[in-house]
Amino acid sequence: MSRDRGRSHGRSCSPACSAAPPSPAAACWRIWRATEDTTLTLLASYQTEWGGETGFNDLPTSGTLRFNPNGRIPFHRYSGDPTFDRFSREQVSFGYALQHRFDETLTVRQNVRYTDLDVRLRALNRVGELLADNRTLNRAAFGIKAGAQSAAADNQAQLTFDTGPMKHVAVVGLDFRYEMSTYDVGRGTAPPIDIYNPSYGLPIADPGTSNFVRNRARQTQIGLYAQDQIKLGQWILTLGGRHDWVDGKTENRRIGSASRQSDSAFSGRVGLCYVSDIGIAPYVSYSTSFQPTSGTDFTGRPFDPSKGAQIEAGVKYQPFGSKTFVTLSAFHLKQTNVLTADPDPSHVGFSVQTGEVKARGIEIEGRTQLFTGLGLIASYTYLDHEISKSANPAEVGRRLPNTPVHQASLWLDYVFQDGPFAGLGLGGGIRYVGKTYDATNAARVPGYTLVDATVHYDLGRLTPPMAGARLTLTATNLFDKYYVSQCTNNAGCTLGQRRTIIAALNYQW
C-alpha cells in the first residue's frame, strides 16, 4: 500500500505544482525560449533490457526459510533453466513541457507524454513444495507477452494574487490519460529439478503466449482539479480538490467475453502549517485519494479503483542558515482494493485485491552536515498494518504480505576537500528491513540488515574541462549476506539480491 505524504523539501509546507521531472534514463532538451516568459522543453527516454536468467527465481521454503536435512539452498541456485529462460523489456517515452508566463499573476503550462512498453518473458516456475526426498522440485513452463501504450496531457493555469493580507498561489487544471494494454500468457509442462544438484539444458517445449490467458484492456481518465495555497503571516493553508471520471473495457480474447467499467469520484486535501521564526514548522493534513487500477485478476475480472483516506500530523525543523533538516510525522490511513500478488502458485504474474487495509505509524528522517565534507542521512519508519475488511473472513486481522513493520537506514558520505584526494568521496551505510509475512501469514520472513558502500570522484578536480563529470562505484549487499526477501505463499520464497557492484559515469552541463 502507499500513502500520500504531501511533503516538500525546504521550508514550504506544501509542494508547488509543476511538471514532473524526467526519469534518470531520460534526456531533456530546452529547445526554445522565445522570451524570458516562454519555454518549451522536450523530454525523451529509451530503456531496453534483455537476458537469459529472468530474475524470476521462486524457491521452496524448505531449504531457504525452513530447515532442510540436505542443507540450505545455495544463494546462487537458480530454479529455472538458463538455456530456456528469456526476458526482454523495451520502453520508449517522449513528450514536452510548455510554459508561458503572461504577467506577475498568470502562468499557464501544458505537459504531454506518450509511453510505449513491450515485455516478453519465457521461464519456469515452481509448482508446490519439495517432494518427499526434500530435494526434487516440480516445475511448469510459462510465457508472457505484455504491452502497454499510454498518452497523457495536463493543462493547468497558475494564479498568484493577494486578497487583503492573504497571499494566494492557486492552480486549476484539466488532465487526460488514455491507456491500452495487452496481457497474454501461455502454460506448458517442464521437467522437475534437483534443487541441490541441478541439471540444465533439458528439452522443454515453448509454451507460447496464448493458450492460457489473452486479455486486452482500455482505460480513459479525465480529471479536473484545483488547489489554493494561502499564506497569512507565518501560517500556510492548502486546500485542494479533484474529480475524476474513468471509463474502461476489458476483453478476454481467449473466450470471447468483455466487461465494461465506469466510475467517478471526488478526492480532496486540506493542510495547515505554521512556519516559526526558529525554523520549526508543525503541520497537519487530511487527504482522500482515488486511483483507477488497470488489469484483471486470474479469472479475467477487472480491478476496481482504489480509494483511500489519510490523516497526518508532524513537525519539520530546519534552523536558518544550517544544513540540518529533520522531519517527524505520525499518520493513519485506510485504503480499499489494494493489489497484492495472487497467492496461488499456478497464477504466476497475477494479482488479487484486498477489501480494505489500515495502517498507522511514525516516520523520522534527518539530514545534516556533521562537518565540512561529511554528511549524514538517517531514517526510521514504524508501520502497524492489517487487513481490516475482506470477502474472506479468515483474512481479517492479517498483516499485509511482504510489508515490514520496522525499517531503518543510516548513511555517511565523506568528500575530501583538499590535498591529493580532493574530490574523492567515500560513503557507507546500513539498511534494516524488519520481518514480513506471506499472503496467508503462515510463513514469517526474518528481518535482515545489509551494508552498502560507494566510492565517487569529481573528475572536474582532475582537469577543468571535465567539470560536471562524476565517476561512481557502488556496491549493495557488500558482504553478500544470505537472506530471504519475501515469500509469496506458504510454499515458496525469493532470496534477496546478492552483492551487486555498479560503475557509472555521469555528466551534467
Side-chain angles (χ1 to χ4, degrees), residues 36-50:
E36 288 296 315
D37 297 322
T38 304
T39 59
L40 174 64
T41 304
L42 291 184
L43 309 169
S45 67
Y46 176 78
Q47 182 177 358
T48 182
E49 303 171 69
W50 67 91

Side-chain angles (χ1 to χ4, degrees), residues 247-430:
D247 287 291
K249 179 182 179 182
T250 301
E251 300 174 70
N252 187 329
R253 295 183 293 167
R254 190 172 65 85
I255 63 175
S257 66
S259 61
R260 295 182 179 273
Q261 282 182 297
S262 181
D263 205 346
S264 66
F266 175 83
S267 54
R269 178 187 177 214
V270 57
L272 182 64
C273 176
Y274 178 80
V275 182
S276 72
D277 293 330
I278 59 174
I280 296 179
Y283 69 92
V284 62
S285 68
Y286 175 78
S287 61
T288 59
S289 64
F290 171 79
Q291 181 62 50
T293 307
S294 60
T296 67
D297 62 16
F298 177 76
T299 65
R301 180 182 179 276
F303 292 128
D304 295 322
S306 177
K307 299 179 181 181
Q310 172 183 301
I311 185 169
E312 179 177 350
V315 61
K316 303 178 182 182
Y317 177 56
Q318 185 176 19
F320 287 97
S322 78
K323 295 183 178 180
T324 297
F325 182 65
V326 180
T327 63
L328 170 63
S329 64
F331 57 89
H332 184 282
L333 66 91
K334 63 179 181 179
Q335 188 173 356
T336 63
N337 299 320
V338 177
L339 286 183
T340 58
D342 194 321
D344 190 326
S346 65
H347 299 172
V348 175
F350 287 89
S351 297
V352 295
Q353 286 189 303
T354 300
E356 181 187 85
V357 300
K358 289 184 178 180
R360 59 183 179 180
I362 59 172
E363 289 184 337
I364 305 171
E365 181 178 351
R367 298 167 178 261
T368 189
Q369 198 82 11
L370 297 176
F371 53 82
T372 302
L374 181 62
L376 179 147
I377 302 175
S379 66
Y380 168 74
T381 300
Y382 169 77
L383 186 66
D384 181 18
H385 52 84
E386 67 173 357
I387 298 174
S388 51
K389 293 181 182 179
S390 175
N392 179 6
E395 291 184 345
V396 176
R398 288 179 180 173
R399 295 287 190 182
L400 298 180
N402 307 314
T403 305
V405 174
H406 301 278
Q407 291 188 85
S409 65
L410 177 67
W411 182 263
L412 286 167
D413 190 270
Y414 178 72
V415 179
F416 291 91
Q417 305 295 304
D418 304 300
F421 297 110
L424 176 67
L426 304 174
I430 57 175

Side-chain angles (χ1 to χ4, degrees), residues 439-457:
T440 64
N441 282 197
R444 184 176 75 94
V445 181
Y448 53 87
T449 302
L450 304 177
V451 177
D452 304 322
T454 185
V455 178
H456 51 87
Y457 184 66

Side-chain angles (χ1 to χ4, degrees), residues 211-264:
N211 68 358
F212 198 56
V213 173
R214 295 191 66 206
N215 288 339
R216 179 168 58 193
R218 296 183 179 90
Q219 187 178 88
T220 302
Q221 178 179 355
I222 297 175
L224 179 64
Y225 61 90
Q227 176 179 289
D228 191 7
Q229 182 175 287
I230 307 167
K231 186 174 182 180
L232 177 61
Q234 293 170 291
W235 292 93
I236 299 176
L237 174 66
T238 302
L239 301 171
R242 177 184 176 94
H243 198 95
D244 286 280
W245 295 266
V246 181
D247 287 291
K249 179 182 179 182
T250 301
E251 300 174 70
N252 187 329
R253 295 183 293 167
R254 190 172 65 85
I255 63 175
S257 66
S259 61
R260 295 182 179 273
Q261 282 182 297
S262 181
D263 205 346
S264 66

Side-chain angles (χ1 to χ4, degrees), residues 106-117:
L106 177 62
T107 299
V108 296
R109 303 183 183 93
Q110 184 180 69
N111 306 307
V112 175
R113 175 164 292 190
Y114 173 81
T115 301
D116 189 297
L117 172 67

Side-chain angles (χ1 to χ4, degrees), residues 110-113 151-155 174-177:
Q110 184 180 69
N111 306 307
V112 175
R113 175 164 292 190
D154 181 21
N155 304 278
L174 177 70
D175 60 27
F176 169 84
R177 177 178 175 84

